[in-house]
């Protein structure tokens, strides 16, 4: 028997978001037209557009966040992914609100905790496949040179989220333009 997945919409300043839940935890949050949109969703017949209790918590978190406030709670999250991706997403959750880090810094942190070599490219793949955007803050990861690369929602949305949080923008640039922000 297929596990039921609940879906709902949320209107954000970035456009429509789709939230997914297993009934108790948030399992997905995607922006419209995002790369890998819905990549962890089960087959269509297991999807149900309805409310789940966790959606109220997620909406409250998003309302605070988009109002420019740092939420003081996180709804229960259950992103589906390999152990490596789970480890990367755990590091993402520790990046402070308004902070930024690089793919290489995450790789070094994982190497220190695990003892195995980790490439920045492997970290980038895991960051890009994050199924719970914004709440697991993959937008806070930038290239070693300050480029705003690797955001499945697009560079302009990454820029919006970083500015909303008041992140330090000095030295960051959009990769295609190569101009400082």
């Amino acid at each position: 028997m297929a596990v039921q997945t609940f879906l709902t919409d949320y209107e954000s300043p970035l456009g429509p978001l789709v939230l997914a839940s297993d009934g108790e935890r948030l399992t997905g949050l995607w922006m419209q037209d995002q790369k890998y949109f819905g990549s962890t969703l089960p087959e269509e017949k297991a999807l149900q557009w309805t409310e789940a209790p966790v959606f109220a918590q997620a909406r409250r978190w998003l309302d605070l966040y988009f109002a420019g406030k740092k939420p003081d709670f996180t709804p229960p999250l259950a992103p589906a992914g390999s152990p490596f991706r789970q480890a990367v997403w755990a590091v993402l959750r520790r990046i402070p609100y308004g902070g930024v880090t690089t793919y290489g810094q995450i790789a070094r942190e994982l190497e220190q905790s695990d003892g195995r070599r980790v490439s920045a490219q492997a970290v980038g793949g895991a960051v890009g496949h994050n199924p719970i955007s914004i709440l697991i803050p993959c937008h806070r990861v930038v290239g070693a040179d300050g480029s705003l690369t690797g955001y499945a929602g697009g560079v302009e949305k990454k820029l919006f989220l970083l500015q909303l949080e008041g992140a330090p923008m000095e030295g960051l640039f959009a990769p295609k333009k190569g101009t400082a922000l």
Side-chain angles (χ1 to χ4, degrees):
M1 182 172 154
V3 174
Q4 188 67 48
T5 298
F6 303 95
L7 301 173
T8 194
D9 290 327
Y10 177 88
E11 275 304 318
S12 81
L14 298 172
L17 303 178
V18 173
L19 288 75
S21 170
D22 61 8
E24 297 176 13
R25 301 163 300 173
L26 201 63
T27 58
L29 190 159
W30 298 277
M31 297 171 209
Q32 187 174 3
D33 301 324
Q34 174 179 329
K35 191 174 183 180
Y36 311 119
F37 181 94
S39 62
T40 58
L41 291 175
E43 57 191 70
E44 189 71 33
K45 66 182 177 184
L47 300 178
Q48 183 176 343
W49 286 88
T50 189
E51 282 305 304
V54 71
F55 290 150
Q57 294 174 51
R59 281 190 183 93
R60 192 164 60 95
W61 191 97
L62 290 165
D63 288 346
L64 288 167
Y65 181 81
F66 286 120
K69 299 173 182 157
K70 178 186 172 191
D72 61 355
F73 70 98
T74 302
L77 306 177
S82 69
F84 176 73
R85 287 182 179 178
Q86 294 288 342
V88 170
W89 300 334
V91 173
L92 295 180
R93 284 182 239 158
R94 293 192 297 268
I95 304 168
Y97 179 93
V100 295
T101 193
T102 67
Y103 300 96
Q105 288 170 319
I106 292 172
R108 286 188 291 282
E109 183 175 333
L110 291 171
E111 286 174 3
Q112 289 175 350
S113 67
D114 189 340
R116 294 187 310 191
R117 176 125 170 80
V118 177
S119 74
Q121 290 79 12
V123 168
V127 169
H129 284 85
N130 170 18
I132 306 178
S133 295
I134 306 170
L135 277 90
I136 298 178
C138 50
H139 60 277
R140 297 179 187 154
V141 185
V142 300
D145 61 356
S147 59
L148 298 177
T149 62
Y151 194 59
V155 171
E156 64 288 336
K157 291 177 181 172
K158 183 173 193 162
L159 176 61
F160 174 88
L161 294 169
L162 291 173
Q163 289 175 329
L164 177 70
E165 293 182 13
M169 302 306 289
E170 186 174 326
L172 300 182
F173 65 93
K176 291 181 181 172
K177 298 174 187 163
T179 56
L181 302 172

